[in-house]
Amino acid sequence: MALRSASSLRADLALGGRITAMRLGGLALALRGDPVARLMHKPWRLDPYPTYAAVRGEGLARSRVGLSAVGTHALCEQVLRDRRFGVRLADGRPPFAPEDAETSLLEPVDLSLLGLDPPDHTRLRRLAQPTFAPRRLQQYRAVAEEVTAGLLDDAVARGRFDLVSDLAAPLPITVIARLLAIPSVDADRFARWGRALGTALDGVRSVSHAHELARTTAEARDLFTDLVDRRRAEPGDDVVSGLVGALDAGQMSLDELVSLAQLLLVAGFETTTNLIGNAVRAMHTTPGQWEALVADPSLAPGAVEETLRYDPPVQLTARIAHEDLDLAGVRFRRNWGVLVLIAAAGRDPEAHPDPDRFDLRREQTTPHLAFSGGAHYCLGAALARLEGEVALRMLAERLPRLRPAGRLVPKTATILRGPRTFPVAV
Ligand code: HEM
């Protein structure tokens, strides 16, 4: 026992040293103007849009972090759609394959589809698709409306509330819990895990963060494994029951099912929370926009689309070249990685005239890339749009005098962007 704890202490020290070295190295590069390093460090990442503009200006921006970046709409779309790029290395290995116990803590979360290339990606995506069939979406709309109405009743009674913890977070988490038929006794734990796993997207920040993620993943695995057993014994009309059929038919493994359920939790929670927060923020910082929505709540879908373009919840993703190729006139080598700056594409003046102006009546002639493109196009896009539209429409109808009432505290992440707390009054 003493021996084990001494070795785990040594592993923690080594991991801590490695994380600190990575952070200091990145900060030094950011100070020297490296665009990719700036996206990962404060203060630049609190307002990444000037860095995005710099990357757009460069075409393919090279970085000493070991990754390049693209930020124009055309280049982002090209990389996302080009089948010569994937999310794993060219030989199918994951990009950060753990070499030992220490490095396995650096990559603690298996993000299912998001970390797979064909043929596994194609097979699993096909099995996950029925989750978002039109028939189901109608059920989710009823759930979203019922949940929003209840949350707004509570908010109105209080007069002041936090837009994030009192509406934008509980709405999507309740919808996903219903979608996966998670018993309500587990709902709070489920929300805590969703938040914790969402932070994994940016990488591990510290030794305690690494341990928290490893613990959360293990707990989530237990819950989903248990859920599979229960659905097998008592099948229902929910998503997990449907996937148990695929499991029993040998089309997927238990590990794959559990990771997919975990992905639905991570992908569908923080993203939609950020969409609602970023939308209300943009409408209140741009004169006349909130008033326009109040005057005509049927503009809610336009407000959702404009937020997705102007300040998207998922700011960037990454791809790896599977062969040597030309990208923006530069020779790009097999296994080199490139960041695709989705949020920079949304502000590209070549694709969106007057891109820094938020306008919920804007007609987007070039569709934004907030839900990505190509093989990994967001499976939950229709659900996210539906939840965003219900939340904004009902806010405008029920709380027309809604206004900021205190300091908005942003999340400090690189990939997921949105408010952490957003005090409002009605
Ligand atoms: C506004 C909210 C949302 C945004 C902005 C968003 C954005 C994205 C993006 C950018 C990707 C692709 C990442 C890449 O190309 O590497 C993605 C993938 C995915 N999203 Fe969403 N998402 C949202 C909501 C949801 C919801 C509500 C769900 C489901 C409950 C969901 C499920 C998924 C899944 C399963 C994938 C993986 C698809 C694949 O790899 O084939 N998303 N999402």
Side-chain angles (χ1 to χ4, degrees):
M1 180 68 192
L3 236 175
R4 234 195 19 238
S5 59
S7 72
S8 75
L9 186 66
R10 255 200 315 278
D12 279 1
L13 283 172
L15 180 65
R18 188 188 275 234
I19 293 170
T20 307
M22 284 186 328
R23 292 180 74 81
L24 287 177
L27 184 60
L29 289 174
L31 284 166
R32 275 187 255 140
D34 186 292
V36 174
R38 285 196 164 183
L39 293 176
M40 293 163 188
H41 289 273
K42 280 196 280 189
W44 303 276
R45 75 174 173 190
L46 287 174
D47 177 12
Y49 288 96
T51 308
Y52 294 153
V55 171
R56 269 198 315 268
E58 283 188 50
L60 179 72
R62 311 300 286 268
S63 159
R64 297 199 44 211
V65 170
L67 282 167
S68 301
V70 288
T72 66
H73 179 94
L75 281 173
C76 288
E77 189 169 36
Q78 180 188 328
V79 172
L80 292 173
R81 289 185 180 280
D82 190 334
R83 293 293 174 125
R84 294 172 302 168
F85 284 95
V87 294
R88 296 190 153 223
L89 296 173
D91 65 5
R93 278 180 303 136
F96 306 107
E99 293 149 17
D100 46 38
E102 177 195 323
T103 43
S104 75
L105 275 174
L106 281 172
E107 278 299 307
V109 183
D110 171 357
L111 287 176
S112 177
L113 291 172
L114 283 177
L116 292 174
D117 284 329
D120 288 333
H121 177 263
T122 324
R123 172 176 53 87
L124 282 184
R125 191 170 161 111
R126 204 167 289 142
L127 296 173
Q129 217 113 34
T131 310
F132 304 100
R135 177 183 63 88
R136 282 199 194 270
L137 282 176
Q138 281 323 308
Q139 296 169 2
Y140 302 148
R141 174 176 288 278
V143 174
E145 285 176 346
E146 176 201 318
V147 174
T148 307
L151 293 167
L152 291 183
D153 284 345
D154 293 347
V156 172
R158 266 177 291 144
R160 292 169 82 90
F161 64 101
D162 177 20
L163 186 80
V164 179
S165 60
D166 294 325
L167 173 69
L171 169 59
I173 200 74
T174 314
V175 173
I176 304 165
R178 296 267 186 106
L179 178 153
L180 293 169
I182 304 280
S184 53
V185 290
D186 292 322
D188 282 348
R189 269 197 304 161
F190 190 59
R192 193 163 37 78
W193 296 342
R195 266 192 299 274
L197 294 173
T199 65
L201 293 177
D202 270 359
V204 169
R205 284 190 309 266
S206 62
V207 174
S208 62
H209 187 215
H211 284 297
E212 185 199 350
L213 288 174
R215 218 175 22 249
T216 306
T217 312
E219 287 174 12
R221 283 199 165 261
D222 285 350
L223 178 128
F224 287 126
T225 310
D226 187 45
L227 200 63
V228 167
D229 287 344
R230 273 188 275 163
R231 288 295 162 268
R232 185 177 275 134
E234 252 181 80
D237 184 30
D238 60 283
V239 168
V240 175
S241 296
L243 291 172
V244 167
L247 174 68
D248 290 343
Q251 294 166 310
M252 74 194 307
S253 68
L254 179 61
D255 266 0
E256 286 174 335
L257 198 168
V258 169
S259 296
L260 182 61
Q262 193 166 284
L263 170 64
L264 292 175
L265 163 60
V266 180
F269 175 24
E270 286 270 297
T271 48
T272 310
T273 304
N274 291 349
L275 170 65
I276 297 167
N278 292 355
V280 174
R281 178 190 200 177
M283 283 189 281
H284 276 98
T285 46
T286 316
Q289 294 289 301
W290 174 251
E291 292 73 13
L293 183 65
V294 168
D296 182 0
S298 75
L299 291 173
V304 167
E305 292 314 305
E306 181 65 341
T307 306
L308 290 166
R309 175 196 74 79
Y310 177 82
D311 200 13
V314 179
Q315 297 260 301
L316 57 92
T317 182
R319 292 293 185 268
I320 296 171
H322 283 179
E323 55 187 80
D324 290 355
L325 46 86
D326 286 320
L327 183 59
V330 176
R331 195 72 188 139
F332 204 79
R333 299 282 174 204
R334 178 183 144 99
N335 284 339
W336 281 8
V338 58
L339 292 184
V340 180
L341 304 183
I342 288 171
R347 301 283 189 105
D348 182 350
E350 298 284 321
H352 307 285
D354 197 3
D356 295 327
R357 189 170 54 89
F358 180 94
D359 178 3
L360 48 67
R361 289 199 178 84
R362 180 187 291 267
E363 301 231 341
Q364 289 186 37
T365 45
T366 311
H368 60 69
L369 297 174
F371 292 122
S372 189
H376 292 273
Y377 183 83
C378 175
L379 264 178
L383 177 60
R385 285 185 159 120
L386 181 160
E387 292 177 37
E389 185 245 300
V390 166
L392 297 183
R393 179 173 49 76
M394 291 180 76
L395 270 175
E397 283 168 354
R398 303 260 325 259
L399 313 180
R401 288 158 46 81
L402 181 89
R403 61 199 178 277
R407 201 168 81 81
L408 178 153
V409 180
K411 287 176 189 143
T412 52
T414 295
I415 296 182
L416 298 181
R417 180 172 158 85
R420 183 143 56 96
T421 56
F422 190 172
V424 289
V426 295

